[in-house]
Amino acid sequence: MQEIFDAEFAANPWPVLDRLRREGGVHRVRTPDGPPAWLVTRYHDVRVGLLDDRLVTDIRTAGPTDYRGFAVPPPLDALLVTAHADHARLRRLVTGELSPRRRTEWAELAPALVESLLRDIDSDAEVDLVERLAVPLPAAVLGELLGLGGGEQEALAAWANSTLLTCAALPRARDTLATMRAIITSAIEHARAERADTMLGRVVAAHDDTGSPSEQELAGLLFYLLFVWYEVLADLISGSILALLNNPDQLPVLHSAADKQPAVEELLRYLSPQVLAGPRFATTDLRFGDYTIRAGQTVLLCLAGANHDPRVVTRPRELDLTRKRNPHLGLGYGLHSCLGTALVRTITAATLDAVFARWPGTALSVPHRDILWRSGFRHRGPLMLPVKLG
Ligand code: HEM
């Protein structure tokens, strides 16, 4: 059993992942919570795993010994306890709302949204861009996406401040869950009362008119959209700024690119902020290379390991915004792949553009080695980004 998930892994997982890939690619590891799981690190295996319908996310399939993921109480767990057909139905409910068709809309919205946050930052000061930009940004994005009222958006931002910033006391799970529930309930009530023509209003109306999503699914869906992907968006934004500060030769490439998408894809690959796909549980005994995974055991498909696999990516540790072939798995793949893809790409491009156009001489105000990283093992991002803007 390997014990790899420590603070060093969060800051720099690459040497460990290189070794695990070399040593067979599939390993039994201990998760920080204690229970074991299989960790899959080679690109080919991870991709196959993401497509394998014998590996499911439904927690009711999990056996008694292995890692089961974060304990989320009902009704917030609705998406973690859904059978295949229900999961597909829930995805369909939000696919249109999040689809690439909306990219044009977001391409117009995103710069103004980012600008509204940057305007309040004092250019002369030393600032922490995690606190001032990366953590507040997802609240603004999700508020806009779902059509949250001002009160809920503020409550979401306050939740993020109190749980995601270094200076914040460690989140107490029960308080956090109560806050999440309160925000979800209030958002649903408002959307219903106002019959709002927003994404949230439409999902609530679908529930009221057709019963799909059910009451429990509605809460679970909002939990997923508002809280599960919040932190990883913050991680991607702050990680991307840090990566560019550490690779200043890439800034002209970013500036001159008419289409910023390849640059964002490369940042998603290079950083792999979502280190692991959500836990998958084996419905039956199955073979993974030389290893047998037993029914009920947990498989952690390591997106970061796949994205740095030298069999697929040349010079994986290099940030190359001009990379042509980049079949990364940073946003997942297959039936559970990210539904926020179009949004994530547009927001990231707009944010990087705005920050480096406004302050081209920005530099870290502490040595890179002093940057602390979130020690959660399923996703990673800098906990602080102290910079001198210029
Ligand atoms: C506002 C932003 C985002 C929204 C609304 C969003 C939405 C979603 C949703 C709804 C799913 C679940 C699909 C399912 O269970 O069927 C998903 C999956 C996923 N998202 Fe996002 N996402 C966002 C940001 C991000 C970011 C920044 C990343 C960073 C890399 C990311 C990476 C992923 C990955 C890897 C999966 C697949 C997980 C798996 O296979 O277990 N998402 N996203």
Side-chain angles (χ1 to χ4, degrees):
M1 178 94 60
Q2 310 234 10
E3 308 219 1
I4 58 163
F5 297 121
D6 52 16
E8 207 177 313
F9 182 85
N12 182 19
W14 314 118
V16 174
L17 293 175
D18 285 348
R19 175 177 66 73
L20 296 182
R21 247 189 269 101
R22 273 196 313 273
E23 294 172 358
V26 182
H27 298 270
R28 207 69 178 137
V29 293
R30 189 177 307 286
T31 61
D33 297 346
W38 290 98
L39 183 72
V40 178
T41 51
R42 290 183 180 169
Y43 182 92
H44 176 75
D45 293 338
V46 172
R47 196 165 177 277
V48 165
L50 289 168
L51 294 177
D52 192 329
D53 56 16
R54 296 167 303 170
L55 292 175
V56 300
T57 53
D58 188 340
I59 202 168
R60 293 168 299 186
T61 313
T65 53
D66 274 22
Y67 174 69
R68 298 165 66 90
F70 306 124
V72 180
L76 305 185
D77 64 346
L79 266 91
L80 304 173
V81 291
T82 14
H84 184 71
D86 289 327
H87 183 258
R89 174 175 51 82
L90 290 174
R91 270 181 80 98
R92 274 197 302 276
L93 272 173
V94 290
T95 312
E97 302 282 354
L98 284 160
S99 76
R101 272 184 291 125
R102 292 276 155 109
R103 192 178 294 151
T104 342
E105 220 171 274
W106 274 99
E108 281 166 23
L109 274 173
L113 209 140
V114 173
E115 206 49 46
S116 68
L117 287 172
L118 298 190
R119 214 177 293 132
D120 293 337
I121 300 177
D122 176 3
S123 310
D124 298 331
E126 263 190 28
V127 293
D128 174 3
L129 286 180
V130 169
E131 183 190 347
R132 301 301 300 276
L133 179 62
V135 166
L137 183 67
V141 171
L142 293 164
E144 184 67 46
L145 171 73
L146 287 155
L148 293 184
E152 283 100 36
Q153 190 172 315
E154 272 170 32
L156 182 63
W159 166 83
N161 274 334
S162 68
T163 54
L164 307 185
L165 294 176
T166 357
C167 54
L170 278 179
R172 288 154 301 177
R174 283 222 320 264
D175 299 356
T176 292
L177 282 168
T179 309
M180 290 170 169
R181 269 209 204 100
I183 295 173
I184 290 170
T185 308
S186 150
I188 293 174
E189 275 167 10
H190 274 132
R192 180 172 288 133
E194 286 163 19
R195 296 172 175 276
D197 186 20
T198 58
M199 174 171 167
L200 182 58
R202 287 185 283 276
V203 180
V204 171
H207 162 72
D208 293 348
D209 297 346
T210 68
S212 167
S214 68
E215 191 84 38
Q216 187 189 13
E217 288 169 343
L218 181 57
L221 197 59
L222 281 179
F223 168 67
Y224 224 59
L225 292 171
L226 288 175
F227 300 101
V228 172
W229 299 111
Y230 193 112
E231 202 166 344
V232 78
L233 182 55
D235 288 340
L236 174 62
I237 297 294
S238 50
S240 296
I241 297 173
L242 179 62
L244 288 164
L245 293 176
N246 284 337
N247 293 273
D249 60 314
Q250 295 296 303
L251 279 172
V253 181
L254 180 73
H255 283 312
S256 59
D259 176 8
K260 312 278 185 216
Q261 194 160 319
V264 175
E265 298 308 319
E266 173 64 350
L267 285 159
L268 279 160
R269 180 203 71 78
Y270 176 82
L271 294 160
S272 298
Q274 187 67 39
V275 176
L276 305 173
R280 303 300 203 259
F281 311 106
T283 53
T284 175
D285 289 356
L286 56 104
R287 297 283 296 167
F288 236 104
D290 296 339
Y291 306 88
T292 301
I293 290 167
R294 299 283 172 208
Q297 286 187 326
T298 302
V299 178
L300 298 173
L301 300 165
C302 186
L303 307 173
N307 289 342
H308 281 240
D309 188 338
R311 288 178 194 80
V312 177
V313 183
T314 43
R315 300 184 309 282
R317 295 245 204 133
E318 240 173 65
L319 178 72
D320 175 2
L321 299 188
T322 64
R323 203 180 278 281
K324 295 277 177 305
R325 196 179 160 274
N326 194 355
H328 72 83
L329 304 175
L331 294 164
Y333 192 68
L335 278 184
H336 292 265
S337 67
C338 183
L339 285 171
T341 298
L343 181 60
V344 167
R345 289 176 174 143
T346 314
I347 289 290
T348 309
T351 307
L352 297 177
D353 241 8
V355 168
F356 289 104
R358 200 177 179 115
W359 299 299
T362 300
L364 274 181
S365 51
V366 298
H368 175 72
R369 64 174 178 281
D370 290 351
I371 300 279
L372 298 173
W373 287 71
R374 224 176 281 291
S375 64
F377 71 118
R378 285 173 54 174
H379 58 93
R380 62 187 290 269
L383 265 172
M384 34 108 121
L385 198 49
V387 296
K388 177 92 190 73
L389 299 167

